[in-house]
Amino acid sequence: MKRRGLLIILSSPSGAGKSTLARRLRDWDPDIQFSVSATTRSARDGEVDGVDYRFISEPDFKHLVHDGEMLEHAHVFGNFYGSPLAPVEGAITSGADVLFDIDWQGAQQIANSPLAPHVLSIFLLPPSITELRRRLEGRGQDTAEVIEKRMTRSWDEISHWGMYDYVLVNDDLDATKDRLTTIVTAERLRRTQQPGLSDHVRQLQIEFEENE
Ligand code: ADP
Ligand code: 5GP
């Protein structure tokens, strides 16, 4: 039976394992699409325009927001970030899930949007603050100063854990990935995700009445 795609929102403090788990989820099901955010920040080494982000100017970003082309947007670390709406609508109508790596502000806006019935929001917590710091340092991507900024912001992000549908403590990576795929498997069966159900039940009714 045809299904509707989910908007899978994955949030966490930086370093808790969002990108790693997003990749694992897509290895599990390559049909899951990543929402490519637009941002006004500049690209880091190795980041590819159109793949990691769409890197755009602040005036262009403001035009997109003004024209209603952003599903949500937020100001994070001094830069603007937003999720373009059009690719999301196309994907979920055709039955593909879309994964968002966005912060709590974006999660809140999508949860209050007309697409709310199709949202699955998941928050990742680190096993401890010491481990969070260890992961940020181990990733080897940021300077000590940037790591301190991320740590300061982490608590703000963690304080919004209560607005998510599911909360996972990302201790063992394989165990977290298994929990994530279990959640997605179950949520795909939500009534709102199965647009063919009414027709199916109507068919059952016809058959039932014919057999009476
Ligand atoms: P985020 O996208 O949330 O900022 P990353 O996915 O980049 O975080 O993970 C930060 C670092 O922690 C990476 O080096 C990653 O390999 C590591 N990591 C992620 N999950 C785990 C885990 N469960 N156990 C140990 N290390 C992990
Ligand atoms: P970074 O600059 O490290 O890639 O991302 C910084 C933060 O911005 C992360 O917490 C990330 O989840 C968030 N972010 C990235 N894209 C978006 C977006 O489109 N919308 C919102 N609300 N947050 C985003």
Side-chain angles (χ1 to χ4, degrees):
M1 202 183 296
K2 191 170 163 6
R3 70 176 184 90
R4 204 178 236 283
L6 289 163
L7 284 80
I8 306 172
I9 301 178
L10 204 52
S11 302
S12 78
S14 189
K18 253 179 337 231
S19 325
T20 308
L21 282 155
R23 281 195 299 272
R24 291 284 191 107
L25 199 59
R26 198 156 65 173
D27 290 345
W28 171 72
D29 181 353
D31 288 338
I32 296 178
Q33 299 185 11
F34 285 5
S35 167
V36 180
S37 298
T39 182
T40 58
R41 83 153 161 78
S42 38
R44 297 190 191 118
D45 278 354
E47 283 184 329
V48 178
D49 187 30
V51 177
D52 299 288
Y53 282 104
R54 272 172 60 201
F55 298 98
I56 62 176
S57 68
E58 199 166 314
D60 285 350
F61 190 96
K62 288 186 170 158
H63 274 126
L64 290 173
V65 173
H66 180 262
D67 294 345
E69 290 184 34
M70 290 295 194
L71 172 57
E72 60 77 32
H73 65 279
H75 198 238
V76 187
F77 293 135
N79 293 296
F80 291 100
Y81 294 81
S83 310
L85 176 61
V88 180
E89 285 180 323
I92 66 163
T93 310
S94 71
D97 303 315
V98 184
L99 186 86
F100 296 81
D101 168 350
I102 57 175
D103 80 335
W104 68 271
Q105 303 174 76
Q108 193 170 55
Q109 289 169 48
I110 299 180
N112 291 325
S113 79
L115 295 178
H118 311 293
V119 170
L120 162 60
S121 64
I122 303 161
F123 194 82
L124 298 174
L125 284 172
S128 68
I129 297 297
T130 308
E131 173 63 12
L132 184 65
R133 180 183 287 278
R134 201 187 62 75
R135 286 184 193 170
L136 278 176
E137 288 170 354
R139 192 164 64 177
Q141 201 181 58
D142 301 313
T143 60
E145 192 195 337
V146 171
I147 288 179
E148 282 324 307
K149 266 199 194 162
R150 288 189 187 277
M151 288 301 293
T152 309
R153 203 174 165 274
S154 287
W155 188 249
D156 179 45
E157 190 70 25
I158 289 174
S159 69
H160 297 280
W161 67 277
M163 56 172 273
Y164 288 78
D165 297 324
Y166 294 86
V167 180
L168 301 175
V169 177
N170 180 23
D171 195 343
D172 178 78
L173 188 58
D174 289 330
T176 310
K177 180 239 158 199
D178 287 346
R179 290 183 185 124
L180 203 54
T181 55
T182 302
I183 293 167
V184 172
T185 304
E187 291 282 332
R188 283 175 172 172
L189 296 172
R190 213 192 276 173
R191 182 166 40 80
T192 51
Q193 302 314 112
Q194 302 187 71
L197 278 182
S198 307
D199 283 347
H200 183 67
V201 173
R202 215 167 291 126
Q203 206 50 48
L204 290 177
Q205 187 184 9
I206 292 169
E207 202 183 327
F208 180 77
E209 287 170 357
E210 279 172 359
N211 289 340
E212 253 193 329

